[in-house]
Amino acid sequence: MGYMENMGNMGNMENMENMGNMENKTKTTAKEKKKTEALLKVENISLSFIQYASGLRQTELKVISNLSIEAHSGEILAVVGSSGSGKSLLAHAILGILPSNAKLDGKMEYNGQQLTPEKKEEIRGKEIALVPQSTNYLDPLMRISNQVIGCVEEKNEGLMKKVQRDIFQKYDLKPDVDRMFPHELSGGMTRRVLVSTAVMSSAKLIIADEPTPGLDEKTLNETLSYFKDMANRGCAVILITHDIEAALKISDKIAVFYAGTVLEVANVEDFKNNGENLRHPYTRALWNALPQNKFQAIKGHQPMQDEVIDGCIFYERCSKKNELCSKGIPQLKSVNGGVVRCNNVS
Amino acid sequence: MLDKDKIAGFIGNKILRLLSLLIVVCFVSFMLIQYSPIDPVRAYIGEMPVSAEHKANLEEYWGVNTPPQEKFLNWAGDALKGNFGISLIYRMPVTDVIKERFTASLVLMAASWLFSGILGFILGIIAGMKKGTWIDKTIKIYCYVLAATPTFWLALILLMVFSVYLGWFPIGLSVPIGVTAENVTFLDWFLRLILPALTLSLLGVAQIALFTREKLIEVLSSDYVLFAKARGEKGLDLVLRHGIRNVALPAITLQFLGFSELFGGTVLVEQVFSYPGIGQAAVAAGLRSDVPLLLGIVIVSACFVFFGNAIADLIYQFVDPRIKQQEASI
Ligand SMILES: Nc1ncnc2c1ncn2[C@@H]1O[C@H](COP(=O)(O)OP(=O)(O)OP(=O)(O)O)[C@@H](O)[C@H]1O
Ligand code: SF4
Ligand SMILES: [Mg+2]
């Protein structure tokens, strides 16, 4: 029963002053982990939707291309990027819950094994858990405890009920929450309930898809600490978010998504100071757009999915572009402990 | 505590509404009949030869020469006391006629309501689960065809096939010829119920099945079903756990809202199968100018449809936890 021992150091998660300590602690563990294999490897996947345009003509809408990331046990990988860059779809692709008209190519490995559709179906909810964004992801007509417990055999129900109660206790969810319906939960409670579903599963890979929007400062920090705890207990966490600042507080690595691909995977330290260690022009632009930095947004928007782009996908908006950039997609390079897809980095 | 008060308020509100509805319905029907070329005396005497004196007496009795306002008030006054007058064509109190006829119709309607509801729901769930497959298409086509079929036409077809051609069921008349009403066996009665109930059910299936299908497809593409899948739920379990739960309430509500169509269908079907229910009585009363009976039936049918709507409302307001909560917080 993994979850029991897992619960051990979840005690004071409100205690965000400890955050600094925790960061140091995990940095060392992260370093150790570097040598080990990644728990999840996503290599060069691309994803398109088959659509029927006027009449019976089929078109393919490419929404993810040449995307690679890795998630390591005990680490938090933040995935940031603007709306529509394919973050949720990546999560759904890993879990194998894409809509039926989606076409997925490329390679995925979990724990050294090929992640086939069958394998995904087998391990989702057990080895890999999703923490969704909002109360919409809870059945509006089912009581909270039933949802969190999920679909279990009858003989295990009593036991699971107890486990669920214990987890709720740890997250400070009172017994009357068990019998509530989703619409009766406050924002913070919803978050804790959603996180509980992942803890309940004792999964080793946690994918959180924007778990923090619309939260006040305190609840935000609290929620982030839950994920930190999961990583400290040895889970690999993929934290999908819009909020770079939140991501920086707890993650070990940050993957920057843009128009369906990864432009850079940076370490948290790279974001220190003025961000001069950041590799990609887009990451820098994001960094500069933050309020506490220069608060400068870059012009333009990410290309639409139906635009065909030969060269660098960021070409239009890049201030450092040169001739080479519009001819062929830049190669993914390892630079300085991170990876980047740009011609102008060495 | 809160619920109790709320339910009391709900019922009070509904009763007030029903009363005002009945007043309007009675008045309008009364006026319509008043200004239509209906002659109650003719209706009563039918083809019998009567003397002029007798006729004058009857005219006096039926109030042919009293002004309509007064007639309405007289009738309403009696009706309030529970006396709806004497049916002209059945020669017995309207209340008795309605009691007997409505019971027969109620059995017919209840049977088809339940059957169409359950079958329609199941078909809708299957179609929604198998969206886009041949099963779904078959069910959909069946529903569209049925939705476009006139009730009496389907009734006639069934009558022709099963009663005339195959001879499985009796043709018309609730009571076999030569048997008095008291001697009708349950089986006789049951055999006569099957075809009309089947007609109504087959037609009722279409709407509920299509609705359930749409609703289930909507639920299955919801975020919470996606999350359930992400947690490893799948297949029939998933549909049973989340699909049925979220589709059942709106489907049941719709079925209650269908009371008016059910009643309309019953009138036609009873006509075709000579089923001695309220619908048949309504048609007879209309054709043969039986004003007291007609008014009585109007009241009963209005109450019936109102009742269906009230239950739908009740489900909506008291069973759905989301609405319950919203109201409480206002
Ligand atoms: N079923 C679908 N059919 C066609 N296109 C789709 C489908 N689902 C998503 N897309 C497109 O894929 C792109 C990526 O979607 P995705 O939901 O992954 O974005 P995201 O990065 O999670 O954005 P957000 O931050 O708003 O959640 C979007 O532009 C969206 O329009
Ligand atoms: S490859 Fe060229 S265009 Fe693209 S980000 Fe680098 S410099 Fe800019
Ligand atoms: Mg998203």
mmCIF file of all heavy atoms in Angstrom, chain A residues 142-181:
data_model
loop_
_atom_site.group_PDB
_atom_site.id
_atom_site.type_symbol
_atom_site.label_atom_id
_atom_site.label_comp_id
_atom_site.label_asym_id
_atom_site.label_seq_id
_atom_site.Cartn_x
_atom_site.Cartn_y
_atom_site.Cartn_z
ATOM 1 N N MET A 142 -22.649 13.323 -8.810
ATOM 2 C CA MET A 142 -22.129 12.244 -7.968
ATOM 3 C C MET A 142 -21.475 12.831 -6.723
ATOM 4 O O MET A 142 -20.794 13.846 -6.803
ATOM 5 C CB MET A 142 -21.102 11.419 -8.750
ATOM 6 C CG MET A 142 -20.780 10.093 -8.090
ATOM 7 S SD MET A 142 -19.476 9.218 -8.947
ATOM 8 C CE MET A 142 -20.364 8.515 -10.298
ATOM 9 N N ARG A 143 -21.713 12.190 -5.606
ATOM 10 C CA ARG A 143 -21.137 12.702 -4.369
ATOM 11 C C ARG A 143 -19.622 12.558 -4.397
ATOM 12 O O ARG A 143 -19.082 11.619 -4.985
ATOM 13 C CB ARG A 143 -21.724 11.968 -3.167
ATOM 14 C CG ARG A 143 -23.199 12.239 -3.024
ATOM 15 C CD ARG A 143 -23.759 11.749 -1.713
ATOM 16 N NE ARG A 143 -25.208 11.806 -1.729
ATOM 17 C CZ ARG A 143 -25.911 12.919 -1.471
ATOM 18 N NH1 ARG A 143 -25.297 14.034 -1.162
ATOM 19 N NH2 ARG A 143 -27.213 12.910 -1.522
ATOM 20 N N ILE A 144 -18.962 13.522 -3.732
ATOM 21 C CA ILE A 144 -17.514 13.647 -3.838
ATOM 22 C C ILE A 144 -16.776 12.359 -3.486
ATOM 23 O O ILE A 144 -15.911 11.912 -4.235
ATOM 24 C CB ILE A 144 -17.013 14.792 -2.928
ATOM 25 C CG1 ILE A 144 -17.554 16.126 -3.439
ATOM 26 C CG2 ILE A 144 -15.501 14.834 -2.889
ATOM 27 C CD1 ILE A 144 -17.162 16.463 -4.841
ATOM 28 N N SER A 145 -17.141 11.717 -2.392
ATOM 29 C CA SER A 145 -16.347 10.555 -1.987
ATOM 30 C C SER A 145 -16.464 9.438 -3.021
ATOM 31 O O SER A 145 -15.481 8.779 -3.334
ATOM 32 C CB SER A 145 -16.764 10.069 -0.603
ATOM 33 O OG SER A 145 -18.022 9.446 -0.673
ATOM 34 N N ASN A 146 -17.647 9.267 -3.592
ATOM 35 C CA ASN A 146 -17.806 8.243 -4.629
ATOM 36 C C ASN A 146 -16.911 8.517 -5.827
ATOM 37 O O ASN A 146 -16.359 7.605 -6.426
ATOM 38 C CB ASN A 146 -19.250 8.185 -5.121
ATOM 39 C CG ASN A 146 -20.162 7.588 -4.086
ATOM 40 O OD1 ASN A 146 -19.689 7.052 -3.100
ATOM 41 N ND2 ASN A 146 -21.459 7.697 -4.299
ATOM 42 N N GLN A 147 -16.797 9.778 -6.168
ATOM 43 C CA GLN A 147 -15.970 10.115 -7.317
ATOM 44 C C GLN A 147 -14.506 9.854 -7.031
ATOM 45 O O GLN A 147 -13.782 9.334 -7.860
ATOM 46 C CB GLN A 147 -16.079 11.597 -7.659
ATOM 47 C CG GLN A 147 -17.452 12.104 -7.703
ATOM 48 C CD GLN A 147 -17.610 13.130 -8.788
ATOM 49 O OE1 GLN A 147 -16.908 13.119 -9.795
ATOM 50 N NE2 GLN A 147 -18.540 14.009 -8.616
ATOM 51 N N VAL A 148 -14.081 10.277 -5.842
ATOM 52 C CA VAL A 148 -12.670 10.161 -5.526
ATOM 53 C C VAL A 148 -12.280 8.688 -5.426
ATOM 54 O O VAL A 148 -11.232 8.281 -5.900
ATOM 55 C CB VAL A 148 -12.341 10.922 -4.233
ATOM 56 C CG1 VAL A 148 -10.913 10.664 -3.802
ATOM 57 C CG2 VAL A 148 -12.557 12.411 -4.454
ATOM 58 N N ILE A 149 -13.161 7.897 -4.836
ATOM 59 C CA ILE A 149 -12.888 6.470 -4.745
ATOM 60 C C ILE A 149 -12.865 5.852 -6.132
ATOM 61 O O ILE A 149 -12.035 5.011 -6.440
ATOM 62 C CB ILE A 149 -13.948 5.773 -3.865
ATOM 63 C CG1 ILE A 149 -13.789 6.226 -2.422
ATOM 64 C CG2 ILE A 149 -13.808 4.260 -3.950
ATOM 65 C CD1 ILE A 149 -14.886 5.768 -1.517
ATOM 66 N N GLY A 150 -13.765 6.315 -6.999
ATOM 67 C CA GLY A 150 -13.778 5.821 -8.374
ATOM 68 C C GLY A 150 -14.476 4.489 -8.478
ATOM 69 O O GLY A 150 -15.185 4.058 -7.579
ATOM 70 N N CYS A 151 -14.232 3.847 -9.610
ATOM 71 C CA CYS A 151 -14.914 2.592 -9.906
ATOM 72 C C CYS A 151 -14.122 1.447 -9.286
ATOM 73 O O CYS A 151 -13.070 1.078 -9.796
ATOM 74 C CB CYS A 151 -14.962 2.454 -11.429
ATOM 75 S SG CYS A 151 -16.278 1.440 -12.032
ATOM 76 N N VAL A 152 -14.587 0.902 -8.155
ATOM 77 C CA VAL A 152 -13.860 -0.205 -7.524
ATOM 78 C C VAL A 152 -14.788 -1.386 -7.305
ATOM 79 O O VAL A 152 -15.998 -1.248 -7.310
ATOM 80 C CB VAL A 152 -13.252 0.203 -6.166
ATOM 81 C CG1 VAL A 152 -12.158 1.214 -6.347
ATOM 82 C CG2 VAL A 152 -14.336 0.724 -5.234
ATOM 83 N N GLU A 153 -14.179 -2.533 -7.111
ATOM 84 C CA GLU A 153 -14.990 -3.717 -6.819
ATOM 85 C C GLU A 153 -15.651 -3.554 -5.466
ATOM 86 O O GLU A 153 -15.120 -2.900 -4.569
ATOM 87 C CB GLU A 153 -14.104 -4.966 -6.805
ATOM 88 C CG GLU A 153 -13.672 -5.411 -8.182
ATOM 89 C CD GLU A 153 -12.582 -6.458 -8.070
ATOM 90 O OE1 GLU A 153 -12.770 -7.437 -7.324
ATOM 91 O OE2 GLU A 153 -11.536 -6.280 -8.718
ATOM 92 N N GLU A 154 -16.795 -4.202 -5.336
ATOM 93 C CA GLU A 154 -17.600 -3.988 -4.136
ATOM 94 C C GLU A 154 -16.868 -4.401 -2.862
ATOM 95 O O GLU A 154 -16.958 -3.739 -1.841
ATOM 96 C CB GLU A 154 -18.911 -4.766 -4.265
ATOM 97 C CG GLU A 154 -20.100 -3.960 -3.816
ATOM 98 C CD GLU A 154 -21.387 -4.576 -4.325
ATOM 99 O OE1 GLU A 154 -21.662 -4.513 -5.543
ATOM 100 O OE2 GLU A 154 -22.101 -5.135 -3.497
ATOM 101 N N LYS A 155 -16.111 -5.487 -2.952
ATOM 102 C CA LYS A 155 -15.480 -5.993 -1.734
ATOM 103 C C LYS A 155 -14.382 -5.043 -1.234
ATOM 104 O O LYS A 155 -14.036 -5.068 -0.061
ATOM 105 C CB LYS A 155 -14.931 -7.408 -1.963
ATOM 106 C CG LYS A 155 -13.810 -7.531 -2.973
ATOM 107 C CD LYS A 155 -13.308 -8.969 -2.969
ATOM 108 C CE LYS A 155 -12.307 -9.423 -3.956
ATOM 109 N NZ LYS A 155 -11.564 -8.678 -4.843
ATOM 110 N N ASN A 156 -13.852 -4.214 -2.149
ATOM 111 C CA ASN A 156 -12.808 -3.281 -1.736
ATOM 112 C C ASN A 156 -13.355 -1.937 -1.287
ATOM 113 O O ASN A 156 -12.618 -1.070 -0.852
ATOM 114 C CB ASN A 156 -11.843 -3.029 -2.891
ATOM 115 C CG ASN A 156 -11.022 -4.256 -3.186
ATOM 116 O OD1 ASN A 156 -10.838 -5.089 -2.309
ATOM 117 N ND2 ASN A 156 -10.550 -4.362 -4.415
ATOM 118 N N GLU A 157 -14.661 -1.783 -1.426
ATOM 119 C CA GLU A 157 -15.223 -0.454 -1.247
ATOM 120 C C GLU A 157 -14.976 0.098 0.159
ATOM 121 O O GLU A 157 -14.598 1.256 0.315
ATOM 122 C CB GLU A 157 -16.724 -0.476 -1.559
ATOM 123 C CG GLU A 157 -17.165 0.747 -2.304
ATOM 124 C CD GLU A 157 -18.584 0.609 -2.809
ATOM 125 O OE1 GLU A 157 -18.737 0.046 -3.902
ATOM 126 O OE2 GLU A 157 -19.501 1.047 -2.117
ATOM 127 N N GLY A 158 -15.196 -0.759 1.166
ATOM 128 C CA GLY A 158 -15.012 -0.308 2.536
ATOM 129 C C GLY A 158 -13.593 0.172 2.778
ATOM 130 O O GLY A 158 -13.368 1.249 3.326
ATOM 131 N N LEU A 159 -12.642 -0.600 2.308
ATOM 132 C CA LEU A 159 -11.243 -0.251 2.481
ATOM 133 C C LEU A 159 -10.933 1.071 1.783
ATOM 134 O O LEU A 159 -10.319 1.971 2.349
ATOM 135 C CB LEU A 159 -10.374 -1.369 1.899
ATOM 136 C CG LEU A 159 -8.872 -1.086 1.928
ATOM 137 C CD1 LEU A 159 -8.350 -1.138 3.348
ATOM 138 C CD2 LEU A 159 -8.134 -2.079 1.041
ATOM 139 N N MET A 160 -11.385 1.176 0.536
ATOM 140 C CA MET A 160 -11.097 2.375 -0.242
ATOM 141 C C MET A 160 -11.725 3.603 0.395
ATOM 142 O O MET A 160 -11.173 4.687 0.373
ATOM 143 C CB MET A 160 -11.613 2.225 -1.678
ATOM 144 C CG MET A 160 -10.926 1.151 -2.494
ATOM 145 S SD MET A 160 -9.139 1.264 -2.377
ATOM 146 C CE MET A 160 -8.785 2.268 -3.806
ATOM 147 N N LYS A 161 -12.877 3.396 0.953
ATOM 148 C CA LYS A 161 -13.571 4.493 1.637
ATOM 149 C C LYS A 161 -12.698 5.025 2.767
ATOM 150 O O LYS A 161 -12.577 6.230 2.972
ATOM 151 C CB LYS A 161 -14.917 3.970 2.161
ATOM 152 C CG LYS A 161 -15.718 4.920 2.982
ATOM 153 C CD LYS A 161 -16.534 5.849 2.102
ATOM 154 C CE LYS A 161 -16.935 7.082 2.875
ATOM 155 N NZ LYS A 161 -16.539 8.333 2.480
ATOM 156 N N LYS A 162 -12.066 4.095 3.476
ATOM 157 C CA LYS A 162 -11.228 4.492 4.603
ATOM 158 C C LYS A 162 -10.001 5.251 4.102
ATOM 159 O O LYS A 162 -9.613 6.275 4.666
ATOM 160 C CB LYS A 162 -10.797 3.237 5.380
ATOM 161 C CG LYS A 162 -10.848 3.436 6.872
ATOM 162 C CD LYS A 162 -10.402 2.193 7.619
ATOM 163 C CE LYS A 162 -9.385 2.521 8.699
ATOM 164 N NZ LYS A 162 -8.042 2.791 8.233
ATOM 165 N N VAL A 163 -9.411 4.720 3.035
ATOM 166 C CA VAL A 163 -8.246 5.380 2.461
ATOM 167 C C VAL A 163 -8.616 6.798 2.035
ATOM 168 O O VAL A 163 -7.902 7.766 2.307
ATOM 169 C CB VAL A 163 -7.736 4.584 1.243
ATOM 170 C CG1 VAL A 163 -6.629 5.344 0.559
ATOM 171 C CG2 VAL A 163 -7.259 3.213 1.679
ATOM 172 N N GLN A 164 -9.751 6.909 1.378
ATOM 173 C CA GLN A 164 -10.191 8.224 0.909
ATOM 174 C C GLN A 164 -10.365 9.186 2.083
ATOM 175 O O GLN A 164 -9.935 10.333 2.047
ATOM 176 C CB GLN A 164 -11.510 8.060 0.142
ATOM 177 C CG GLN A 164 -12.182 9.368 -0.255
ATOM 178 C CD GLN A 164 -13.363 9.690 0.637
ATOM 179 O OE1 GLN A 164 -14.097 8.809 1.056
ATOM 180 N NE2 GLN A 164 -13.527 10.963 0.947
ATOM 181 N N ARG A 165 -10.957 8.694 3.153
ATOM 182 C CA ARG A 165 -11.181 9.530 4.343
ATOM 183 C C ARG A 165 -9.844 10.007 4.914
ATOM 184 O O ARG A 165 -9.677 11.162 5.268
ATOM 185 C CB ARG A 165 -11.979 8.712 5.363
ATOM 186 C CG ARG A 165 -12.566 9.416 6.549
ATOM 187 C CD ARG A 165 -13.497 10.516 6.168
ATOM 188 N NE ARG A 165 -12.812 11.771 6.419
ATOM 189 C CZ ARG A 165 -13.100 12.938 5.918
ATOM 190 N NH1 ARG A 165 -14.090 13.087 5.121
ATOM 191 N NH2 ARG A 165 -12.406 14.004 6.168
ATOM 192 N N ASP A 166 -8.874 9.079 4.941
ATOM 193 C CA ASP A 166 -7.550 9.445 5.453
ATOM 194 C C ASP A 166 -6.919 10.543 4.621
ATOM 195 O O ASP A 166 -6.357 11.498 5.139
ATOM 196 C CB ASP A 166 -6.622 8.213 5.440
ATOM 197 C CG ASP A 166 -6.946 7.266 6.581
ATOM 198 O OD1 ASP A 166 -7.693 7.701 7.479
ATOM 199 O OD2 ASP A 166 -6.475 6.117 6.551
ATOM 200 N N ILE A 167 -7.016 10.363 3.303
ATOM 201 C CA ILE A 167 -6.418 11.360 2.420
ATOM 202 C C ILE A 167 -7.108 12.705 2.616
ATOM 203 O O ILE A 167 -6.456 13.749 2.722
ATOM 204 C CB ILE A 167 -6.523 10.902 0.949
ATOM 205 C CG1 ILE A 167 -5.686 9.633 0.734
ATOM 206 C CG2 ILE A 167 -6.042 11.992 0.022
ATOM 207 C CD1 ILE A 167 -5.821 9.038 -0.632
ATOM 208 N N PHE A 168 -8.422 12.669 2.680
ATOM 209 C CA PHE A 168 -9.165 13.928 2.874
ATOM 210 C C PHE A 168 -8.749 14.589 4.187
ATOM 211 O O PHE A 168 -8.610 15.799 4.272
ATOM 212 C CB PHE A 168 -10.676 13.653 2.878
ATOM 213 C CG PHE A 168 -11.290 13.702 1.500
ATOM 214 C CD1 PHE A 168 -10.545 13.397 0.385
ATOM 215 C CD2 PHE A 168 -12.618 14.080 1.327
ATOM 216 C CE1 PHE A 168 -11.094 13.439 -0.883
ATOM 217 C CE2 PHE A 168 -13.181 14.140 0.060
ATOM 218 C CZ PHE A 168 -12.420 13.803 -1.046
ATOM 219 N N GLN A 169 -8.557 13.760 5.203
ATOM 220 C CA GLN A 169 -8.137 14.283 6.497
ATOM 221 C C GLN A 169 -6.832 15.052 6.362
ATOM 222 O O GLN A 169 -6.691 16.165 6.846
ATOM 223 C CB GLN A 169 -7.961 13.096 7.457
ATOM 224 C CG GLN A 169 -7.959 13.473 8.912
ATOM 225 C CD GLN A 169 -9.300 14.031 9.345
ATOM 226 O OE1 GLN A 169 -10.328 13.454 9.025
ATOM 227 N NE2 GLN A 169 -9.289 15.156 10.043
ATOM 228 N N LYS A 170 -5.897 14.429 5.650
ATOM 229 C CA LYS A 170 -4.589 15.059 5.464
ATOM 230 C C LYS A 170 -4.731 16.380 4.722
ATOM 231 O O LYS A 170 -3.993 17.315 4.948
ATOM 232 C CB LYS A 170 -3.676 14.124 4.661
ATOM 233 C CG LYS A 170 -3.267 12.897 5.431
ATOM 234 C CD LYS A 170 -1.909 13.098 6.042
ATOM 235 C CE LYS A 170 -1.635 12.163 7.202
ATOM 236 N NZ LYS A 170 -1.916 10.770 6.958
ATOM 237 N N TYR A 171 -5.679 16.438 3.807
ATOM 238 C CA TYR A 171 -5.866 17.673 3.037
ATOM 239 C C TYR A 171 -6.877 18.600 3.698
ATOM 240 O O TYR A 171 -7.368 19.529 3.075
ATOM 241 C CB TYR A 171 -6.317 17.345 1.614
ATOM 242 C CG TYR A 171 -5.194 16.883 0.729
ATOM 243 C CD1 TYR A 171 -5.199 15.619 0.159
ATOM 244 C CD2 TYR A 171 -4.123 17.727 0.464
ATOM 245 C CE1 TYR A 171 -4.177 15.184 -0.638
ATOM 246 C CE2 TYR A 171 -3.083 17.300 -0.332
ATOM 247 C CZ TYR A 171 -3.118 16.028 -0.883
ATOM 248 O OH TYR A 171 -2.081 15.607 -1.673
ATOM 249 N N ASP A 172 -7.194 18.285 4.941
ATOM 250 C CA ASP A 172 -8.086 19.161 5.686
ATOM 251 C C ASP A 172 -9.465 19.275 5.035
ATOM 252 O O ASP A 172 -10.051 20.359 4.968
ATOM 253 C CB ASP A 172 -7.439 20.546 5.817
ATOM 254 C CG ASP A 172 -8.086 21.345 6.929
ATOM 255 O OD1 ASP A 172 -8.711 20.715 7.797
ATOM 256 O OD2 ASP A 172 -7.968 22.574 6.909
ATOM 257 N N LEU A 173 -9.965 18.168 4.537
ATOM 258 C CA LEU A 173 -11.335 18.154 4.007
ATOM 259 C C LEU A 173 -12.214 17.436 5.025
ATOM 260 O O LEU A 173 -12.015 16.261 5.302
ATOM 261 C CB LEU A 173 -11.383 17.439 2.654
ATOM 262 C CG LEU A 173 -10.696 18.173 1.496
ATOM 263 C CD1 LEU A 173 -10.443 17.225 0.341
ATOM 264 C CD2 LEU A 173 -11.513 19.362 1.044
ATOM 265 N N LYS A 174 -13.156 18.173 5.574
ATOM 266 C CA LYS A 174 -13.996 17.649 6.676
ATOM 267 C C LYS A 174 -14.913 16.520 6.190
ATOM 268 O O LYS A 174 -15.202 16.421 4.991
ATOM 269 C CB LYS A 174 -14.861 18.774 7.221
ATOM 270 C CG LYS A 174 -14.055 19.983 7.604
ATOM 271 C CD LYS A 174 -14.166 20.283 9.085
ATOM 272 C CE LYS A 174 -12.926 20.958 9.612
ATOM 273 N NZ LYS A 174 -12.435 22.076 8.791
ATOM 274 N N PRO A 175 -15.364 15.681 7.133
ATOM 275 C CA PRO A 175 -16.201 14.535 6.743
ATOM 276 C C PRO A 175 -17.432 14.924 5.928
ATOM 277 O O PRO A 175 -17.881 14.154 5.077
ATOM 278 C CB PRO A 175 -16.622 13.936 8.085
ATOM 279 C CG PRO A 175 -15.541 14.327 9.023
ATOM 280 C CD PRO A 175 -15.038 15.650 8.573
ATOM 281 N N ASP A 176 -17.992 16.111 6.164
ATOM 282 C CA ASP A 176 -19.203 16.440 5.401
ATOM 283 C C ASP A 176 -18.911 16.691 3.926
ATOM 284 O O ASP A 176 -19.827 16.698 3.102
ATOM 285 C CB ASP A 176 -19.973 17.611 6.033
ATOM 286 C CG ASP A 176 -19.090 18.828 6.246
ATOM 287 O OD1 ASP A 176 -17.863 18.625 6.298
ATOM 288 O OD2 ASP A 176 -19.614 19.937 6.346
ATOM 289 N N VAL A 177 -17.630 16.890 3.606
ATOM 290 C CA VAL A 177 -17.283 17.065 2.190
ATOM 291 C C VAL A 177 -17.576 15.775 1.416
ATOM 292 O O VAL A 177 -17.967 15.808 0.251
ATOM 293 C CB VAL A 177 -15.796 17.449 2.034
ATOM 294 C CG1 VAL A 177 -15.405 17.554 0.575
ATOM 295 C CG2 VAL A 177 -15.535 18.769 2.748
ATOM 296 N N ASP A 178 -17.406 14.645 2.089
ATOM 297 C CA ASP A 178 -17.628 13.350 1.441
ATOM 298 C C ASP A 178 -18.964 13.307 0.713
ATOM 299 O O ASP A 178 -19.084 12.754 -0.370
ATOM 300 C CB ASP A 178 -17.618 12.225 2.475
ATOM 301 C CG ASP A 178 -16.226 11.993 3.026
ATOM 302 O OD1 ASP A 178 -15.348 12.812 2.716
ATOM 303 O OD2 ASP A 178 -16.023 11.004 3.753
ATOM 304 N N ARG A 179 -19.979 13.859 1.364
ATOM 305 C CA ARG A 179 -21.323 13.723 0.824
ATOM 306 C C ARG A 179 -21.759 14.922 -0.007
ATOM 307 O O ARG A 179 -22.906 15.038 -0.404
ATOM 308 C CB ARG A 179 -22.334 13.482 1.956
ATOM 309 C CG ARG A 179 -22.122 12.127 2.648
ATOM 310 C CD ARG A 179 -23.271 11.738 3.548
ATOM 311 N NE ARG A 179 -24.587 11.927 2.954
ATOM 312 C CZ ARG A 179 -25.115 11.114 2.031
ATOM 313 N NH1 ARG A 179 -24.427 10.084 1.579
ATOM 314 N NH2 ARG A 179 -26.323 11.345 1.572
ATOM 315 N N MET A 180 -20.851 15.824 -0.261
ATOM 316 C CA MET A 180 -21.216 17.004 -1.056
ATOM 317 C C MET A 180 -21.237 16.679 -2.546
ATOM 318 O O MET A 180 -20.703 15.679 -2.994
ATOM 319 C CB MET A 180 -20.204 18.116 -0.813
ATOM 320 C CG MET A 180 -20.378 18.831 0.499
ATOM 321 S SD MET A 180 -19.214 20.203 0.558
ATOM 322 C CE MET A 180 -19.637 20.891 2.145
ATOM 323 N N PHE A 181 -21.875 17.579 -3.273
ATOM 324 C CA PHE A 181 -21.793 17.526 -4.729
ATOM 325 C C PHE A 181 -20.776 18.568 -5.196
ATOM 326 O O PHE A 181 -20.532 19.551 -4.482
ATOM 327 C CB PHE A 181 -23.161 17.819 -5.334
ATOM 328 C CG PHE A 181 -24.131 16.693 -5.144
ATOM 329 C CD1 PHE A 181 -25.084 16.739 -4.151
ATOM 330 C CD2 PHE A 181 -24.068 15.578 -5.959
ATOM 331 C CE1 PHE A 181 -25.974 15.695 -3.970
ATOM 332 C CE2 PHE A 181 -24.947 14.526 -5.785
ATOM 333 C CZ PHE A 181 -25.904 14.584 -4.796
#
